[in-house]
């Protein structure tokens, strides 16, 4: 191991976690989120992925339902890019973007905490930025408002066929030892 690798390993092991306090959410924002949660219904699957053969709720369908309910209750969600990196994974370039969200109320209050989400997508042109942002926004709002989409995107929806491995029986082999010496 080179000295550089030892230093990197040493730095990773000695990372100290710092504690921080999340600022209290203003009541106007708490009430707005609660009211949005009460008004939202299950999202309909309005799009189909023909390549992998499944239906899903598109970002447009998602926003068509959520935006008017947020507006009704005065909740404003702003998304901004916090960090952007391009890296190669195998022979393909990937875009990793960290987004931060700002929750505000129409009356002017803003929550001092900015939740973040990170998304990685394969770079396939300018639409990579748009698809990363759309998916991140959709998943953030889905978790914030606890929106049911009926999608099977958790482990409970996957087939899980775990079986205890069978124990192999010990193999008894007899080895013969040849003690004859080689002669030239």
């Amino acid at each position: 191991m080179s000295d550089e690798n030892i230093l990197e390993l040493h730095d990773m092991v000695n990372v100290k976690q710092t504690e921080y306090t999340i600022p209290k959410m203003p009541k106007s924002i708490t009430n707005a989120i609660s009211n949005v949660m009460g008004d939202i219904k299950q999202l309909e699957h309005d799009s189909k992925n023909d390549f992998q053969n499944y239906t899903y709720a598109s970002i447009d369908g998602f926003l068509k339902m959520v935006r008017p309910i947020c507006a009704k209750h005065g909740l404003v969600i702003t998304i901004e890019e916090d960090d952007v990196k391009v890296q190669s994974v195998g022979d393909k370039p990937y875009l990793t973007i960290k987004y931060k969200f700002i929750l505000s109320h129409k009356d002017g209050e803003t929550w001092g905490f900015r939740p973040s989400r990170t998304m990685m997508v394969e770079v396939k042109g300018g639409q990579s930025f748009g698809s990363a942002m759309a998916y991140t926004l959709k998943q953030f709002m889905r978790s914030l408002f606890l929106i049911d989409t009926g999608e099977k995107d958790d482990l409970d929806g996957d087939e899980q066929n775990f079986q205890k491995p069978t124990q192999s029986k010990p193999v008894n082999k007899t080895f013969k030892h040849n003690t004859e010496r080689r002669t030239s």
Side-chain angles (χ1 to χ4, degrees):
M1 207 178 229
S2 73
D3 288 344
E4 276 183 2
N5 290 342
I6 291 171
L7 287 174
E8 288 175 12
L9 180 61
H10 177 71
D11 290 343
M12 288 189 303
V13 170
N14 289 318
V15 171
K16 292 182 182 177
Q17 282 205 313
T18 57
E19 290 187 32
Y20 62 93
T21 304
I22 296 175
K24 185 177 179 180
M25 184 182 285
K27 284 185 179 183
S28 61
I29 296 173
T30 305
N31 289 335
I33 292 171
S34 177
N35 290 332
V36 170
M37 289 172 76
D39 284 355
I40 284 187
K41 307 296 180 223
Q42 180 175 347
L43 274 171
E44 298 297 323
H45 293 202
D46 61 351
S47 295
K48 182 174 183 182
N49 180 322
D50 291 324
F51 182 69
Q52 295 178 332
N53 196 29
Y54 67 89
T55 59
Y56 63 96
S58 70
I59 186 63
D60 286 341
F62 198 98
L63 292 174
K64 187 177 181 180
M65 183 182 74
V66 174
R67 186 179 46 242
I69 298 171
C70 284
K72 173 183 170 185
H73 297 293
L75 185 63
V76 178
I77 300 172
T78 308
I79 183 173
E80 63 180 38
E81 291 175 8
D82 187 53
D83 188 38
V84 178
K85 293 178 186 166
V86 176
Q87 60 192 20
S88 292
V89 177
D91 61 343
K92 296 180 181 180
Y94 279 82
L95 179 65
T96 303
I97 306 176
K98 180 179 180 182
Y99 294 100
K100 291 221 172 182
F101 295 88
I102 301 168
L103 297 175
S104 304
H105 191 265
K106 69 178 181 177
D107 293 338
E109 290 183 298
T110 298
W111 189 22
F113 178 68
R114 295 179 356 171
S116 65
R117 300 290 186 275
T118 302
M119 176 58 61
M120 178 186 243
V121 295
E122 186 179 351
V123 176
K124 293 184 177 181
Q127 66 273 22
S128 299
F129 282 90
S131 65
M133 180 186 279
Y135 192 78
T136 305
L137 178 61
K138 184 169 107 171
Q139 292 303 319
F140 174 74
M141 288 191 299
R142 186 172 174 201
S143 67
L144 180 66
F145 303 127
L146 304 177
I147 300 172
D148 176 19
T149 63
E151 295 174 7
K152 294 180 181 180
D153 57 0
D154 61 26
L155 290 177
D156 291 333
D158 292 343
E159 180 181 334
Q160 297 181 26
N161 188 11
F162 299 108
Q163 296 178 357
K164 185 176 178 181
T166 58
Q167 291 182 338
S168 58
K169 296 179 183 177
V171 177
N172 293 326
K173 286 189 176 182
T174 307
F175 294 96
K176 295 183 181 179
H177 183 17
N178 187 348
T179 57
E180 294 178 18
R181 293 185 184 208
R182 274 195 266 173
T183 57
S184 359

